[in-house]
């Protein structure tokens, strides 16, 4: 039998009380399990959560997400305690590029600035010129005066950006294993079974999937788009955790996922017991050497300085 959020009511109340007493802001990514999204102060995409971390006046941030997200919070809010409830929650894509790899690209394409997707380690961000998220990637790249850019680490997001900007884009050959494995055929089947649905895909999907859909959006972008749409049925090509907010915000709308196991195991590693334990023990604290933090901060701040829509 699967649990529903009501099975967690008492534990959620306990966690909320603890967080208040200890002056902790709880952030949760849109892919987390429903009960975690239910207990968070703020749920959102990578960009929204980075902004929330940078702006909070709470003394600690408990990040329900993967390691690079908690690192971004620690980079942006160095005076705060940043907690990741489960240190096993990583992102395979974030480990696909290193500072050494970036230096190689710089030697190959001298003068081209490096745009690092936020799904990277602090050290990789520190070695880059500016960060982007899936919500602002095209805008970030267009903000640069250069005619050539280096985009790391996601080849799929990179080729999507390249198709939308008038610049020469040099791509690192990394990917999100979960989004990358959704095949074009699965997407085609889903679209032909639901011809009246509006389709959305995350830019981490392969180009052959992206070219079939109506909208290419970040997870936050999908939530906004559906909220403001008069359509009733949507095909959603991203991690299934997003269904929690989609259904909560739009109880009368229907959401269809392609026939594919769209689950990021890393995003599901943070359990409600981990959250409660982390609040009690104040572990695991994310710390970053100050020289790396300072350089990574410059790249993230440069991104955040770009006016938002
Ligand atoms: P968003 O910034 O769109 O939420 O994406 C983060 C992520 O890890 C997607 O796989
Ligand atoms: Fe990383 Fe992909 Fe999981 Fe996002 S969905 S955290 S990119 S592995």
């Amino acid at each position: 039998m699967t649990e529903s959020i009501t099975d967690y009511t008492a534990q959620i109340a306990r966690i909320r009380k603890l967080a208040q007493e200890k002056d902790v802001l709880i952030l949760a990514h849109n892919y987390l399990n429903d009960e975690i999204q239910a207990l968070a102060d703020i749920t959102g995409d990578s960009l929204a959560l980075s902004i929330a971390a940078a702006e909070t006046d709470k003394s600690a941030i408990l990040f329900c997400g993967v390691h690079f997200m908690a690192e971004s919070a620690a980079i942006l809010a160095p005076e705060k305690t940043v907690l990741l409830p489960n240190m096993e929650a990583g992102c395979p894509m974030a480990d696909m590029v290193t500072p050494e790899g970036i230096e190689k690209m710089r030697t190959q394409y001298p003068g081209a600035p490096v745009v690092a997707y936020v799904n990277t380690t602090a050290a990789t961000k520190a070695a880059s010129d500016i960060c982007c998220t899936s919500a602002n990637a095209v805008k970030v790249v267009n903000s640069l005066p250069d005619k050539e850019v280096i985009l790391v680490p996601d080849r799929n997001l990179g080729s999507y950006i390249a198709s939308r900007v008038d610049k020469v884009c040099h791509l690192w050959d990394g990917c999100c294993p979960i989004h990358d494995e959704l095949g074009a055929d699965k997407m085609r089947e889903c679209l032909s079974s639901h011809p009246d649905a509006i389709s959305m895909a995350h830019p981490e999907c392969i180009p052959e999937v992206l070219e079939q859909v109506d909208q290419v959006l970040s997870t936050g972008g999908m939530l906004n788009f559906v909220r403001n749409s008069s359509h009733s049925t949507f095909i959603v090509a991203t991690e299934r955790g997003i269904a929690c907010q989609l259904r909560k915000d739009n109880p009368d709308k229907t959401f269809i996922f392609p026939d594919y196991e769209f689950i990021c195991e890393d995003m599901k590693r943070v359990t409600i017991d981990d959250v409660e334990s982390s609040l009690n023990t104040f572990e695991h604290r994310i710390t970053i050497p100050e020289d790396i933090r300072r350089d990574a901060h410059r790249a993230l701040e440069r991104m955040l300085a770009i006016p938002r829509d």
Side-chain angles (χ1 to χ4, degrees), residues 177-184 186-187 205-206 209 237 258-260 262:
I178 291 93
H179 285 82
D180 192 66
E181 274 180 30
L182 168 65
K186 289 274 180 208
M187 196 67 206
C205 294
I206 59 173
V209 164
D259 179 20
Y260 170 66
F262 233 138

Side-chain angles (χ1 to χ4, degrees), residues 16-27 41-42 52-62 77 79-82:
R16 294 291 329 142
K17 187 160 173 278
L18 255 181
Q20 207 161 15
E21 282 165 10
K22 297 200 170 189
D23 199 32
V24 178
L25 177 77
I26 304 184
L27 302 177
D41 292 293
I42 300 173
E55 292 181 348
T56 183
D57 52 10
K58 298 267 185 185
S59 57
I61 298 165
L62 188 148
E79 71 293 356
K80 318 231 179 251
T81 301
V82 176

